[in-house]
Amino acid sequence: MSENKNTVTSPIDSAWKVVEKSRHPLRPYALDYVGEIFTNFEELKGDRSYRDDPAIVGGIAEFTHPSTGETEGVFIVANQKGRKTKEKVERNFGMARPEGYRKAMRLYDLAERFKKPLITFIDTPGAFPGVGAEERGQAVAIAESIRKMFEIACPSIGIVIGEGGSGGALALGVTDRLLMLENSIYSVISPESCAAILWGNSGEMRQAALALKLSAKETLELGLCDGIIEEKFEGAHENLEASANVLREAISRELLSFRGKEMLSLIENRYNKFRNIDSHNIKNKARS
């Protein structure tokens, strides 16, 4: 059912509504989009060191540009949540462990080796904070993944499709172009955790959501993402096919924009893009 456009909502309610939509139980997950947008997807598992982590999926696939019909190979790395209880537990609610980020790095290397574009789908509340993950080097794995993304000699596109939380999202988000679906969020911390720290009460999560400026619109205004992808109807959860079609067009535009660009220039621009995300740069963008 469509919302009444004349309904007046408070800023706090508006901020929390975006959080709720980003977490909607029927919201498409990465593999839903992969199945709709790409063909011949071959999943590659394991970090070649410890084990596979189902919270991150990846592999090689083919992408067909809707405007030209041209098909090209791409590598995909994505956070993946579970739909039903058993799958949620298996995929650890989309919270990756060190082996997940090491698997991601293996795929980054393959994308570079085969000179194929890299596309990441970001949808995680954050990296898993459990004891076992910490013992196996969670912080190091995230840091190395971020560094690897700065260095890889291939074009990269990151898309926040749901939740983009903390370093767990950033490990997949250091890309040449970072896009966000209209009802996705991108933040250093979840509203609940932020509220628990600042107010000593996770029940203040709505106030925290407003303070964090985590919506796609605010993230774009702050210069932290490069574009917003419109969601059809009341959100991506209402029509997967329509949402995938819009996403397909956005991916095609970005891939075509990389054509003819020197790789060294691409890497340098990627570095400068993130190096210049600071308060001075943000203020200048807000004025323009």
Side-chain angles (χ1 to χ4, degrees):
M1 182 181 294
S2 299
E3 298 174 2
N4 186 344
K5 299 300 183 182
N6 296 320
T7 300
V8 178
T9 57
S10 70
I12 290 179
D13 289 340
S14 295
W16 187 247
K17 189 169 188 178
V18 175
V19 175
E20 289 182 320
K21 283 190 176 183
S22 76
R23 298 171 173 174
H24 195 286
L26 296 180
R27 191 171 180 83
Y29 295 147
L31 288 179
D32 297 320
Y33 286 120
V34 169
E36 287 286 327
I37 298 172
F38 304 92
T39 55
N40 297 322
F41 173 63
E42 290 291 339
E43 185 176 357
L44 301 175
K45 297 184 177 183
D47 67 344
R48 299 297 185 267
S49 177
Y50 182 64
R51 67 179 182 188
D52 185 54
D53 184 354
I56 287 185
V57 298
I60 191 167
E62 291 182 334
F63 177 80
T64 301
H65 291 273
S67 59
T68 65
E70 177 191 0
T71 297
E72 65 176 305
V74 298
F75 274 85
I76 297 168
V77 177
N79 301 117
Q80 177 66 25
K81 295 178 177 178
R83 190 70 65 188
K84 296 183 178 180
T85 301
K86 183 178 179 181
E87 188 186 5
K88 287 179 180 179
V89 173
E90 179 187 355
R91 297 193 184 277
N92 202 35
F93 301 88
M95 296 184 292
R97 298 175 169 89
E99 47 270 27
Y101 297 111
R102 292 182 178 123
K103 173 170 68 174
M105 284 187 278
R106 186 167 72 87
L107 292 168
Y108 299 161
D109 282 332
L110 288 173
E112 179 179 50
R113 185 185 309 171
F114 290 102
K115 297 180 173 57
K116 301 295 183 184
L118 171 69
I119 301 172
T120 67
F121 292 91
I122 300 164
D123 188 14
T124 179
F128 184 58
V131 174
E134 296 295 340
E135 288 176 341
R136 295 193 299 279
Q138 182 72 293
V140 174
I142 292 172
E144 289 179 342
S145 182
I146 292 171
R147 182 180 66 182
K148 177 68 70 175
M149 294 204 86
F150 273 113
E151 298 172 346
I152 54 173
C154 68
S156 57
I157 304 167
I159 307 165
V160 185
I161 60 173
E163 293 183 90
S166 193
L170 194 58
L172 274 66
V174 182
T175 51
D176 297 307
R177 295 284 292 174
L178 180 66
L179 308 177
M180 294 181 66
L181 286 182
E182 184 180 358
N183 293 307
S184 63
I185 60 176
Y186 200 45
S187 175
V188 70
I189 193 172
S190 72
E192 293 86 350
S193 296
C194 176
I197 292 172
L198 294 184
W199 288 280
N201 179 8
S202 61
E204 296 291 338
M205 55 196 179
R206 288 172 173 79
Q207 179 67 41
L210 177 64
L212 285 167
K213 298 184 183 295
L214 41 63
S215 72
K217 180 177 181 293
E218 291 166 313
T219 303
L220 180 63
E221 289 173 350
L222 291 169
L224 304 176
C225 78
D226 301 303
I228 298 174
I229 302 171
E230 179 186 2
E231 294 186 29
K232 297 295 185 181
F233 308 103
E234 296 303 322
H237 58 279
E238 290 201 352
N239 191 314
L240 171 60
E241 183 179 359
S243 299
N245 286 337
V246 176
L247 194 51
R248 182 186 291 109
E249 294 283 351
I251 292 172
S252 179
R253 284 195 301 271
E254 299 301 337
L255 288 176
L256 292 174
S257 74
F258 293 128
R259 298 284 176 87
K261 292 191 175 180
E262 293 289 336
M263 198 55 60
L264 288 178
S265 175
L266 203 65
I267 296 171
E268 183 179 0
N269 289 340
R270 187 189 309 150
Y271 174 82
N272 288 332
K273 168 188 169 183
F274 286 92
R275 184 67 178 85
N276 291 313
I277 294 179
D278 54 29
S279 58
H280 176 73
N281 191 48
I282 289 172
K283 287 177 183 177
N284 285 341
K285 287 187 177 183
R287 293 192 192 103
S288 61

